[in-house]
Amino acid sequence: MIVDRIYSAVMERRLAPRTKLSEAALCETFGVGRMRVRRALLLLGSQGIVDLQSNKGAYVSCPSADDAREVFEARLLVETGIVRKLASEISPPAVDVLSRHITLEDEARQRQARTDIIRLSGEFHVQLAKANGNTLLARVVRELVTRTSLIVGLFGTNRKITCPEDEHCQIVAAIVDGNADLAAQRIRHHLEHIENGLELDRSRRPDTDIARILGGG
């Protein structure tokens, strides 16, 4: 529960990089003991979501501008390969999963549910990786997507930096048509749109009210 709640808060950009995750505050928020909180923080640390600093405690990881550039470079290399492969061999059940996910995104937009839109937008890329049937690849993409959320939370501007709402649909359409070059072109444009919306010379201050951010059901 603790891991999922913190992960979701990072993915939805409610929990900013550099935010201190006080053991005492987490124990109070979740109604558990310190050992359970420490196990959760260790797991989050192994996933790159939390930075465990000796004698200082746990903080939400804070990527640098160079880290941000490397993450987007990695995503371009990995995800263009993913969509190219899918364009050559995607299965009907995988198409159904991706189509249902896009429907969920559309419904979230209709509700103007910002946190759901952000979360589902990131999960779309994980679903693309899962469609390849490679669990290791899906895990890698999940970590890259999480790091992207941290990067956007830190360097994002007030400008709209999420992609136009029909881009995921266009990517899937190119895959279904078997057009590998077009699918790769669209995923590249998709990722570059996000990266170009960042200001890597500025950053956001963390919100220290952990109970408010994580205390929801």
Side-chain angles (χ1 to χ4, degrees), residues 15-208:
L15 200 53
R18 292 195 301 262
T19 301
K20 182 173 177 57
L21 299 173
S22 161
E23 287 187 7
L26 292 173
C27 288
E28 182 177 353
T29 298
F30 293 103
V32 298
R34 284 185 179 270
M35 288 306 298
R36 184 170 295 180
V37 165
R38 287 171 183 169
R39 286 197 297 270
L41 292 174
L42 283 171
L43 181 56
L44 289 162
S46 71
Q47 297 173 351
I49 299 171
V50 167
D51 181 17
L52 302 172
Q53 300 181 16
S54 180
N55 299 321
K56 291 185 179 180
Y59 295 79
V60 177
S61 292
C62 181
S64 66
D66 285 341
D67 293 333
R69 296 183 185 97
E70 289 184 356
V71 164
F72 279 97
E73 181 182 12
R75 290 193 64 176
L76 282 170
L77 290 170
V78 171
E79 295 189 52
T80 52
I82 285 172
V83 298
R84 283 185 176 280
K85 184 178 179 185
L86 287 176
S88 69
E89 59 180 33
I90 193 167
S91 66
V95 174
D96 290 343
V97 169
L98 292 171
S99 298
R100 286 197 298 272
H101 190 91
I102 289 171
T103 298
L104 292 175
E105 291 186 58
D106 291 339
E107 292 172 350
R109 289 190 184 92
Q110 290 171 7
R111 299 194 313 273
Q112 297 185 335
R114 179 179 176 275
T115 56
D116 288 343
I117 293 168
I118 293 170
R119 174 178 53 81
L120 289 166
S121 180
E123 287 179 358
F124 171 78
H125 296 267
V126 180
Q127 292 295 338
L128 283 176
K130 286 182 176 179
N132 278 274
N134 187 317
T135 55
L136 177 59
L137 186 61
R139 200 153 53 235
V140 168
V141 172
R142 183 180 187 270
E143 180 175 340
L144 288 171
V145 167
T146 304
R147 289 180 182 273
T148 301
S149 290
L150 288 168
I151 289 162
V152 173
L154 187 63
F155 299 110
T157 68
N158 291 327
R159 292 176 294 164
K160 183 179 179 182
I161 60 172
T162 53
C163 295
E165 58 189 59
D166 61 342
E167 281 200 354
H168 288 172
C169 186
Q170 291 177 358
I171 292 166
V172 173
I175 290 170
V176 172
D177 288 343
N179 192 331
D181 288 341
L182 182 59
Q185 176 187 330
R186 286 177 174 173
I187 197 83
R188 175 176 291 275
H189 171 78
H190 186 89
L191 294 171
E192 288 177 345
H193 182 102
I194 300 172
E195 184 177 13
N196 291 338
L198 303 175
E199 290 185 355
L200 297 180
D201 58 349
R202 66 177 291 278
S203 63
R204 163 189 162 199
R205 287 191 171 187
D207 185 338
T208 58

Side-chain angles (χ1 to χ4, degrees), residues 1-9 44 142:
M1 177 184 64
I2 299 169
V3 171
D4 288 347
R5 194 77 61 80
I6 293 175
Y7 172 77
S8 295
L44 289 162
R142 183 180 187 270

